[in-house]
Amino acid sequence: MSFLSSLSQYVAGVADSVAGLALSPRRVPPSRHRSAEESQQQPQSSAATMRGFPRVLPTEGASALNARRRTLDCLAPATPPRRGGSLRVPRNLPPEKPTMAFCKRRLSWPEVDNTVNSGVQDTDGSYFESFTALSWRQENRRLAALRLAEARAERPPPAPQDLGLPSVSAQLSHKEHEHLYTEVLYCIENAVGAPAPDGQFAAYKEEVIEYARRAFKVSPEVHARALRAAGSERPPTVVLGCAVMEADGLEAKDANGFSDPYCMLGIQPASLPASPRASEDEGRKHGFRLSFKRRDGRQQRDSLGRLPARYIRATSVRPHTLSPKWNETFKFDIDDISSDVLHLDIWDHDDESSVLDAVSRLNEVRGVRGLGRFFKQVCQSARQGSQDDFLGCVNIPLREIPSTGVEAWYKLDARSQRSSVQGRIRLRLWLSAREAGRHDDDNWQQVRQHERLFGVLLAHEVETASNVTNEGAESDSHTWEGDLCGAAQTLLHQHAVQGDLSSLQAAIARFAAACRLNSEAPLDPKYMFKLLNELERAWCASEALVGGGSGDAGACASRDEERWLADCFGEFVERALHQLRLHRDLYPVLHHLSLNKLEYLLRCLNQLSQMKAFWRCCPFSKEMRSEIVASLRKGTAEWYEALCAQDTESERGEDLVNLITLVQIDLQQGLTYYHPLFETTNNVPYFNVVFTQIDKMVSEDVKQCVEVWISEGWCGVAEEDCYDEHGNAVCSVVSAKTLPFEVLAAVRELCTAASPAPLAHAPHAPHAPHDPPPQLLEAYQWFEPLIDRWLAVTKTMALQRVRAAVELDRPVDGEHIVKHSTSSVDTVACLYHMRLVWRAIGGAEEGTIGGSVRLLEAACATALHYADLVHGALADQGYYENHGQNKTTEEICTIVNNLEYVRRSLSEYDDEHIANDENSRQLVRGALGTLECRSMRAAVPLAVRARPPLRKAVFHLAWSPDSLPTQQAITPLLEFLDQHLSSLNTWLLPRAFTRSLAACWNAVLKEVSNQADSGGAEKPRVYHHRLKEALDLLAEFFHAEGKGLPMSEVHNTEWKRLEQRMQYHQAPTEELLELWLEDRLAEQARTPMPSPYGSILIRVYFNHDSLCVEILSARDVIPLDPNGLSDPFVVIELLPKRLFPKTHEQTTNVQKKTLNPVWDECFEFSVSLESCRSPQATLALSVWDRDVLTADDFAGEAFVPLARAPGVHSHAPPDPLRPVELPLMQLHDRGHPILQILESRTTDKLALDFVKKQKLRFAE
């Protein structure tokens, strides 16, 4: 064969080999590096070909690697240009970060379609749904009751007569009515006093008469007759009341700098006789002592004419003061109010017999003779030189006194222009009238008449306002608010003035009239509250005036007035308490102004409890707060009995549920609206009082119903026969009976309403929390027998439904939901219904541990039964044996999600029902662990299916050209992982996806580890450096910036082991040997004494220029000869060899047939101190058994770090030296990474010799 033919055959062979390797000078780049034209020209890859992978991968093995690299090196140009599709990229461009779409999931997407319906509910008559409907059924009842209560609360309150409120007629008889009207006209005709300064009580006479006619509703004939009768009557006598209060700033007339002042006052008639010396006295003020003067030693007397004695009064003397206080009252009959004047003198009392004494006898003067004797006494007093000093006078025309009276300070005037006085005096003046035959102090009849008059006027005002409202007023602007018109006020004022009624008497009369009218038809409580305040103010003012500030109220009112007022108080309180009993109907919470009326009614009762007048007139009355509480209790009982009386034809318990719901609504409204009013006004805990009464009555009714259900054997389910049109039984249908639980749920809501409510429920004022009574809180205990029966039946029904759900199972398709089927939804629905019903009946809060355990047993049995059914079906299909080959990936995801969805639903029982019971915790945790194991086992085929393409991608990464950067070489692997994991993330539930992500990560680590151990012997540093970089990129990929696996799971044990192997692969053999030595030292430190292979006793120290090793003895060496003994000897060597290159191993003598040999031999090694101080310097001791015919047997080894030996780490003298006992060890880990890596280095003689040597030391 010629040379050319041989060469052609060789070239053809090389070409065939290259074609067999399927290598080309241009690698096929990943799809994202191709242009659009190239992508269109390339044919579609098969399903097995992954996006981004090269079309052909090299065969594993060193020869293939060498051929591939030689081919690529020959074909690659020296300076390759940048061309489309090339894997080479400029060094200055940053590597692209792979997209991590697998970790993106829209949080708004629903995970599972809970609304899917497989029809499994029809198999048991919707047993669970019926009990779950308890909550919304109760909510519907509550809303219906709330609408009913709101409609009732918005309606105007009914008339008091319709509610049974007693009514007492306040009408006068015809004769009394006409007589009172005549008295009113008489009062109007004889009005007293000037108009008030502020224009009050200034109505015209005709206006007042017309108002009185309308108020009394009299006919014109009766009005004319009464007017004539009033005009024919004799006018009453006008009486002036004068209260001398105090004076201030008087002139000092005595030697001690003070005065002894007293007052003389009287009525100066309109026609006094003229004085003979009138011209001389012009400009002088009239005085009671002005007529008596000493002149030229003779007594001159001006003629006074007739001066009625009753017109002059005198106060008492206040000694030694310039600011006297008298507080004395006087009354004078007036003849002509238009011209008479009130005259008052203030004198300084000087001796015992003075003008004061004479004036004091003036009351005894009768006729002209008596008046002459009075003048004689005054003249004699003047001749004796006993002259009182004048301090000032005041003249007040009576026509200027208003009808309302006046109280003011008056400046004192002098008698003439030559006199000088100072100071002022405070007077209170008022006018009244007295008919003939009536005593001044007896006005009881006038008080009663004033009460009747006020009643007539008040009834007229209320009726007028009511008529205006009934005629179509759209608002309450025309409602009478308690203000009388001007004519009525003028009439009442004149009647009180002419009757000489005090402010207290007028207040008593008006309150009595209002109480009498309130008994017939309730008045506005706000007006009653106003009258009570006026009465209390008048009482306190009268008490202060009469008692002089001492607090003595005995003379405030007469005995008749006190008895009358006591009757009015009692009548008003009785009426108010009766209204409180009916407060739900009289004062609906949502009707305008009703709560305002209730508030003022309560304020009236509170005002009564604090009034001095009330306790003075009713000293033996009960405390108002206790009266209100008793009224609320009685009213609540009557209201509840009225609700119970409304019988219906509903099933037993249905009426009770509705009743409890109505009661709950009433309590909530009472807590919101009524409670703040009662608590802030009278400190009455309304809610506590009402709930206490409700609790007692509801508890009795509930207990009776429960006893009936227990006796009937209620268990939550019943079979009912279905009949055809002929009345024949066709089939039986299972139906749920939920009434007992509805009652229990209603009772719990009622108790919840009794718990402390937030302050937002009290818009008027915050209230203190109220502890509910204990009876209804024990309701759960009454229902426990029924609950136990329900739990037993529910467990059976749940297992039946799970079996039916598995039989009716079908996949659920939908957008943006994970893969699942109807069986898991139905199973989870059972668990959800059981938990929801348990919470609704209060089992989670009030149930016993036994009840919670039974519920957990039912829930766990349901979940595990579903898992068993799914597992059994998969096992029958051979799912686990063939790794799910008969299932698609979507079907596998459906199975995994079903089990995970059930497990997640069961986990919700973990914290809610376990509490502190260890048995319950173990029960639930065990069931959860079983479900998780089933789910993980079902998910194993997902990882198995990904292994072949994953192995292929990792192989491509490992054997890619050295010139290709790691960031680009790993791109196909990352694209495959992203595509694979994105599908799983879309199809799996989050927890199931996290488990699959962790399994995929472990598979990646496994494949990378296999690639790291399978090749790279020729260039280990480059090869494994790339794998190390790829491993870091993969860790970042699976972490996905915190959205994937946490770093604690990414850096797991397998990752640490692989990273260590990478470091071992990149390390040279000498470094690996030192790492092996460190590992043996660490293992020796962990080995306890005594060791199973015995121990050795040695002494090591550095002396001068040599290391001394004394092998003393060993004990409990393992027997290696057939006779049960050994022939041990010790081999001593210094490691590593790079520190001790010139030393050789030394051996002790052989000790025959012993397990506790004693050598007591010393060996010296000529080494430097610096070598011994190295941290890697180690003394290795290996114990062997000497055999003659066969190789020696390994018994154990020990190591001593020389850096710690005496004489090495310190310069202390070696003696005395303490021997060291070391445990003997043998090798156990045949797959140790260092040994495996060293064994893979087939061309390294040092590595192979070391591995061969270590293999002899493995324990058998």
Side-chain angles (χ1 to χ4, degrees):
M1 181 181 296
S2 65
F3 173 73
L4 293 177
S5 61
S6 301
L7 181 61
S8 62
Q9 290 180 3
Y10 176 77
V11 173
V14 172
D16 292 339
S17 64
V18 173
L21 291 174
L23 293 176
S24 105
R26 290 184 59 185
R27 289 174 53 97
V28 179
S31 60
R32 62 188 182 91
H33 292 290
R34 300 174 193 161
S35 62
E37 293 79 3
E38 293 173 343
S39 300
Q40 294 176 0
Q41 293 175 1
Q42 292 176 358
Q44 296 293 331
S45 60
S46 61
T49 304
M50 294 175 295
R51 176 169 55 90
F53 283 125
R55 293 185 177 181
V56 180
L57 296 177
T59 308
E60 298 183 23
S63 59
L65 175 64
N66 295 334
R68 173 188 178 188
R69 286 180 175 167
R70 286 195 298 269
T71 305
L72 290 176
D73 292 339
C74 294
L75 296 176
T79 56
R82 175 65 176 166
R83 63 179 184 272
S86 175
L87 291 177
R88 296 180 180 272
V89 296
R91 294 294 181 182
N92 55 353
L93 293 178
E96 293 187 26
K97 294 188 66 176
T99 58
M100 293 172 288
F102 76 92
C103 59
K104 297 178 181 178
R105 177 194 292 265
R106 283 183 55 184
L107 300 179
S108 60
W109 288 355
E111 295 180 350
V112 177
D113 185 6
N114 294 319
T115 61
V116 65
N117 184 11
S118 65
V120 73
Q121 298 86 356
D122 300 333
T123 60
D124 55 10
S126 299
Y127 174 81
F128 291 96
E129 289 73 15
S130 299
F131 281 95
T132 310
L134 291 177
S135 56
W136 63 262
R137 196 178 301 150
Q138 179 63 21
E139 181 65 16
N140 290 339
R141 285 197 185 93
R142 191 188 67 82
L143 293 177
L146 183 60
R147 287 192 295 268
L148 180 62
E150 290 177 351
R152 182 185 62 190
E154 291 176 352
R155 292 195 298 265
Q161 296 80 2
D162 299 339
L163 297 175
L165 205 62
S167 178
V168 180
S169 177
Q171 298 294 329
L172 300 175
S173 65
H174 179 73
K175 184 177 181 180
E176 292 175 344
H177 190 269
E178 187 172 351
H179 176 70
L180 180 60
Y181 185 65
T182 303
E183 290 293 332
V184 168
L185 294 181
Y186 178 79
C187 176
I188 297 173
E189 289 291 340
N190 300 279
V192 175
D198 54 356
Q200 193 178 9
F201 313 120
Y204 293 103
K205 176 180 178 181
E206 293 76 10
E207 182 183 356
V208 177
I209 292 176
E210 178 60 23
Y211 175 79
R213 189 187 65 79
R214 291 197 310 269
F216 278 83
K217 300 181 180 63
V218 296
S219 61
E221 294 79 10
V222 175
H223 173 69
R225 184 170 62 251
L227 194 58
R228 288 193 299 272
S232 62
E233 291 287 337
R234 179 183 176 183
T237 302
V238 179
V239 179
L240 171 65
C242 179
V244 182
M245 311 298 293
E246 58 181 330
D248 185 30
L250 298 181
E251 186 178 2
K253 294 294 185 179
D254 295 341
N256 58 4
F258 293 98
S259 296
D260 303 325
Y262 66 94
C263 298
M264 290 177 56
L265 64 161
I267 302 300
Q268 178 179 337
S271 57
L272 280 175
S275 173
R277 302 176 58 90
S279 60
E280 298 179 3
D281 298 335
E282 185 178 356
R284 296 185 179 183
K285 302 291 184 180
H286 174 75
F288 291 116
R289 294 191 59 187
L290 187 60
S291 302
F292 303 95
K293 292 291 182 180
R294 290 182 180 180
R295 189 164 299 198
D296 299 332
R298 294 180 303 167
Q299 181 70 27
Q300 300 292 332
R301 180 178 66 86
D302 292 335
S303 176
L304 295 176
R306 291 188 62 184
L307 182 63
R310 65 179 181 274
Y311 286 174
I312 301 176
R313 297 287 188 273
T315 65
S316 58
V317 178
R318 292 292 184 260
H320 310 298
T321 181
L322 299 180
S323 300
K325 297 183 184 298
W326 289 286
N327 291 326
E328 298 181 16
T329 303
F330 306 93
K331 289 189 177 182
F332 303 94
D333 291 348
I334 307 301
D335 293 335
D336 187 359
I337 192 174
S338 61
S339 58
D340 289 352
V341 176
L342 172 67
H343 180 81
L344 181 143
D345 287 346
I346 301 180
W347 301 87
D348 172 39
H349 182 72
D350 288 337
D351 53 13
E352 296 180 358
S353 178
S354 63
V355 177
L356 177 63
D357 298 329
V359 173
S360 64
R361 299 188 186 95
L362 188 60
N363 294 328
E364 302 174 0
V365 175
R366 295 293 182 270
V368 178
R369 293 181 181 180
L371 187 59
R373 288 195 301 272
F374 164 70
F375 292 151
K376 183 178 181 179
Q377 291 175 2
V378 171
C379 292
Q380 290 175 356
S381 174
R383 284 194 300 269
Q384 294 173 1
S386 299
Q387 180 78 22
D388 289 349
D389 296 323
F390 180 75
L391 297 178
C393 66
V394 173
N395 291 290
I396 303 173
L398 300 186
R399 65 176 177 274
E400 297 178 358
I401 300 176
S403 60
T404 55
V406 62
E407 180 176 349
W409 288 90
Y410 295 91
K411 183 180 180 182
L412 297 178
D413 297 329
R415 289 179 296 181
S416 64
Q417 296 179 354
R418 292 172 297 178
S419 303
S420 62
V421 297
Q422 64 182 26
R424 58 178 183 167
I425 187 169
R426 186 162 70 97
L427 303 177
R428 183 167 61 88
L429 306 175
W430 69 93
L431 298 174
S432 61
R434 182 181 68 252
E435 297 180 7
R438 180 171 65 85
H439 193 270
D440 287 345
D441 298 331
D442 184 13
N443 62 348
W444 170 244
Q445 295 300 327
Q446 300 299 321
V447 174
R448 295 304 301 267
Q449 190 179 90
H450 191 77
E451 179 261 340
R452 290 192 293 271
L453 173 60
F454 186 77
V456 172
L457 301 185
L458 184 60
H460 172 69
E461 293 287 346
V462 173
E463 182 180 359
T464 302
S466 177
N467 293 336
V468 172
T469 304
N470 294 333
E471 287 176 2
E474 296 181 357
S475 63
D476 290 332
S477 59
H478 298 283
T479 303
W480 185 64
E481 298 179 354
D483 296 330
L484 297 174
C485 64
Q489 294 181 12
T490 302
L491 179 56
L492 290 172
H493 172 66
Q494 280 296 325
H495 189 274
V497 167
Q498 296 182 29
D500 196 18
L501 270 63
S502 64
S503 59
L504 175 60
Q505 289 175 328
I508 292 175
R510 297 185 183 191
F511 176 71
C515 287
R516 183 165 56 87
L517 191 60
N518 187 60
S519 299
E520 181 179 1
L523 294 177
D524 190 352
K526 184 177 182 180
Y527 183 68
M528 298 299 298
F529 181 71
K530 175 182 177 182
L531 293 179
L532 285 173
N533 284 330
E534 293 176 355
L535 176 60
E536 180 66 7
R537 285 196 298 269
W539 184 280
C540 294
S542 178
E543 185 181 69
L545 183 63
V546 175
S550 62
D552 182 15
C556 287
S558 64
R559 185 171 299 178
D560 293 336
E561 291 171 348
E562 288 186 359
R563 283 198 296 266
W564 186 33
L565 193 55
D567 294 340
C568 294
F569 282 147
E571 183 180 355
F572 177 75
V573 171
E574 181 181 0
R575 182 78 174 188
L577 293 177
H578 201 154
Q579 289 176 283
L580 291 183
R581 285 165 52 187
L582 304 174
H583 68 277
R584 294 176 179 85
D585 299 315
L586 286 176
Y587 308 106
V589 294
L590 299 181
H591 184 260
H592 51 282
L593 299 181
S594 62
L595 290 181
N596 187 42
K597 291 182 179 180
L598 176 60
E599 179 183 3
Y600 274 98
L601 180 63
L602 294 171
R603 292 176 67 177
C604 287
L605 295 177
N606 180 63
Q607 179 68 15
L608 277 175
S609 65
Q610 300 176 4
M611 289 176 60
K612 295 181 180 180
F614 177 77
W615 292 111
R616 171 71 182 182
C617 301
C618 308
F620 302 106
S621 297
K622 295 181 180 179
E623 184 186 7
M624 194 62 63
R625 183 176 180 274
S626 60
E627 291 282 355
I628 296 175
V629 170
S631 179
L632 286 177
R633 289 175 178 170
K634 187 174 181 180
T636 302
E638 293 173 352
W639 173 75
Y640 184 82
E641 292 172 358
L643 290 179
C644 295
Q646 301 175 2
D647 294 331
T648 62
E649 297 180 358
S650 304
E651 188 179 355
R652 180 186 294 109
E654 185 73 23
D655 292 336
L656 183 57
V657 175
N658 296 331
L659 177 62
I660 296 175
T661 305
L662 290 175
V663 169
Q664 176 193 347
I665 296 299
D666 180 78
L667 284 174
Q668 291 176 346
Q669 290 183 343
L671 179 64
T672 305
Y673 299 100
Y674 292 139
H675 177 81
L677 298 181
F678 280 84
E679 190 174 46
T680 55
T681 55
N682 292 273
N683 197 24
V684 173
Y686 172 88
F687 188 83
N688 192 20
V689 172
V690 172
F691 187 82
T692 302
Q693 190 68 26
I694 290 293
D695 172 77
K696 185 172 76 171
M697 296 182 293
V698 172
S699 299
E700 295 176 358
D701 294 342
V702 172
K703 287 180 181 178
Q704 292 178 1
C705 269
V706 171
E707 292 175 358
V708 172
W709 282 322
I710 293 176
S711 62
E712 292 178 351
W714 179 92
C715 61
V717 66
E719 291 187 359
E720 297 179 355
D721 296 331
C722 295
Y723 299 92
D724 57 11
E725 55 185 11
H726 301 290
N728 300 323
V730 178
C731 61
S732 59
V733 178
V734 177
S735 61
K737 300 298 181 182
T738 62
L739 266 180
F741 281 11
E742 294 180 29
V743 173
L744 180 55
V747 170
R748 291 194 70 251
E749 287 194 9
L750 185 60
C751 292
T752 303
S755 61
L759 297 181
H761 282 62
H764 296 280
H767 60 275
H770 303 277
D771 296 328
Q775 292 192 40
L776 283 179
L777 293 182
E778 300 175 357
Y780 186 87
Q781 301 177 6
W782 310 337
F783 285 83
E784 276 191 343
L786 302 178
I787 294 174
D788 292 341
R789 298 177 185 177
W790 174 79
L791 286 173
V793 172
T794 298
K795 181 178 179 180
T796 303
M797 299 295 290
L799 297 179
Q800 293 178 1
R801 175 170 284 199
V802 168
R803 288 192 290 271
V806 173
E807 293 176 359
L808 300 175
D809 189 24
R810 59 180 177 82
V812 179
D813 297 327
E815 187 178 3
H816 301 159
I817 59 175
V818 300
K819 299 297 181 180
H820 65 287
S821 61
T822 58
S823 60
S824 62
V825 177
D826 294 333
T827 303
V828 169
C830 291
L831 300 176
Y832 170 76
H833 291 323
M834 287 190 289
R835 187 175 70 254
L836 195 64
V837 174
W838 187 254
R839 190 186 303 120
I841 64 178
E845 298 86 3
E846 306 171 19
T848 59
I849 295 180
S852 298
V853 170
R854 287 192 293 274
L855 174 70
L856 293 174
E857 289 176 351
C860 293
T862 302
L864 292 177
H865 186 56
Y866 175 77
D868 292 340
L869 292 177
V870 173
H871 173 71
L874 294 177
D876 295 341
Q877 298 171 7
Y879 176 84
Y880 300 109
E881 289 76 8
N882 57 18
H883 300 292
Q885 295 299 324
N886 56 344
K887 299 285 186 181
T888 64
T889 303
E890 296 184 8
E891 291 175 343
I892 297 175
C893 290
T894 300
I895 297 171
V896 173
N897 284 335
N898 287 342
L899 294 173
E900 171 59 24
Y901 190 38
V902 174
R903 187 209 65 78
R904 190 174 67 179
S905 178
L906 182 63
S907 66
E908 296 179 3
Y909 283 79
D910 195 351
D911 299 328
E912 185 175 353
H913 305 281
I914 287 180
N916 296 323
D917 184 47
E918 187 62 29
N919 295 330
S920 302
R921 184 176 292 105
Q922 293 180 358
L923 177 65
V924 176
R925 302 288 168 80
L928 292 175
T930 302
L931 289 171
E932 187 158 5
C933 291
R934 296 285 173 85
S935 178
M936 293 175 64
R937 186 178 180 186
V940 169
L942 293 176
V944 173
R945 289 187 175 189
R947 291 296 288 273
L950 188 62
R951 185 180 303 111
K952 191 175 183 180
V954 173
F955 179 73
H956 165 73
L957 167 67
W959 295 100
S960 59
D962 298 338
S963 59
L964 187 66
T966 306
Q967 289 84 353
Q968 294 188 13
I970 201 175
T971 299
L973 174 59
L974 296 183
E975 289 180 350
F976 164 72
L977 290 174
D978 187 67
Q979 180 183 8
H980 175 66
L981 295 176
S982 296
S983 300
L984 295 183
N985 191 21
T986 305
W987 294 339
L988 290 176
L989 288 169
R991 185 181 177 89
F993 172 71
T994 302
R995 287 199 300 263
S996 298
L997 187 62
C1000 185
W1001 172 238
N1002 290 330
V1004 169
L1005 293 178
K1006 185 71 173 176
E1007 294 300 330
V1008 173
S1009 178
N1010 293 339
Q1011 288 296 329
D1013 296 338
S1014 62
E1018 297 179 355
K1019 294 183 178 180
R1021 291 183 178 276
V1022 177
Y1023 183 85
H1024 295 100
H1025 179 71
R1026 165 166 289 183
L1027 290 180
K1028 180 63 174 61
E1029 289 182 348
L1031 186 63
D1032 294 336
L1033 291 174
L1034 288 170
E1036 181 181 355
F1037 176 83
F1038 276 90
H1039 180 59
E1041 299 178 354
K1043 298 179 181 179
L1045 291 176
M1047 274 302 177
S1048 58
E1049 296 186 17
V1050 171
H1051 295 167
N1052 55 15
T1053 305
E1054 181 64 22
W1055 181 86
K1056 294 177 181 178
R1057 187 190 67 82
L1058 179 57
E1059 187 180 36
Q1060 187 183 51
R1061 293 179 71 90
M1062 294 292 187
Q1063 295 176 357
Y1064 291 163
H1065 276 295
Q1066 298 180 59
T1069 302
E1070 292 79 4
E1071 184 177 349
L1072 287 180
L1073 296 182
E1074 294 182 7
L1075 291 175
W1076 171 266
L1077 197 58
E1078 291 180 4
D1079 185 71
R1080 297 303 292 163
L1081 285 171
E1083 184 178 355
Q1084 179 177 277
R1086 295 191 299 267
T1087 302
M1089 294 286 291
S1091 171
Y1093 303 103
S1095 60
I1096 185 171
L1097 189 65
I1098 64 172
R1099 184 182 290 117
V1100 181
Y1101 54 92
F1102 191 86
N1103 188 14
H1104 299 293
D1105 295 332
S1106 61
L1107 179 69
C1108 299
V1109 179
E1110 296 182 7
I1111 307 300
L1112 302 178
S1113 62
R1115 62 175 181 173
D1116 300 328
V1117 178
I1118 59 174
L1120 295 174
D1121 293 340
N1123 58 3
L1125 299 174
S1126 293
D1127 303 327
F1129 66 96
V1130 181
V1131 177
I1132 308 134
E1133 60 180 333
L1134 297 179
L1135 299 175
K1137 290 300 182 180
R1138 67 177 179 84
L1139 294 177
F1140 309 102
K1142 298 180 180 181
T1143 59
H1144 302 280
E1145 63 181 26
Q1146 302 187 44
T1147 306
T1148 65
N1149 297 323
V1150 178
Q1151 302 294 324
K1152 297 290 186 178
K1153 299 179 181 179
T1154 180
L1155 299 179
N1156 298 288
V1158 177
W1159 293 282
D1160 199 10
E1161 300 180 24
C1162 182
F1163 302 89
E1164 289 187 7
F1165 294 89
S1166 179
V1167 294
S1168 65
L1169 184 61
E1170 288 74 13
S1171 299
C1172 294
R1173 286 179 176 176
S1174 176
Q1176 291 78 23
T1178 306
L1179 172 67
L1181 306 171
S1182 56
V1183 180
W1184 298 81
D1185 172 51
R1186 175 60 57 88
D1187 290 333
V1188 178
L1189 299 178
T1190 60
D1192 295 338
D1193 298 325
F1194 179 71
E1197 63 182 353
F1199 301 89
V1200 178
L1202 296 180
R1204 301 178 183 178
V1208 175
H1209 68 292
S1210 64
H1211 298 282
D1215 294 328
L1217 293 176
R1218 184 177 181 180
V1220 178
E1221 185 176 11
L1222 301 175
L1224 295 178
M1225 304 179 297
Q1226 288 190 1
L1227 293 177
H1228 296 277
D1229 186 10
R1230 294 182 180 272
H1232 196 282
I1234 294 179
L1235 292 180
Q1236 291 181 349
I1237 292 171
L1238 291 175
E1239 189 176 7
S1240 66
R1241 299 180 179 181
T1242 56
T1243 59
D1244 190 343
K1245 184 177 183 302
L1246 178 62
L1248 295 179
D1249 292 343
F1250 180 80
V1251 172
K1252 182 178 179 181
K1253 182 178 179 181
Q1254 296 300 322
K1255 285 184 177 181
L1256 299 175
R1257 304 189 178 195
F1258 279 102
E1260 297 181 359

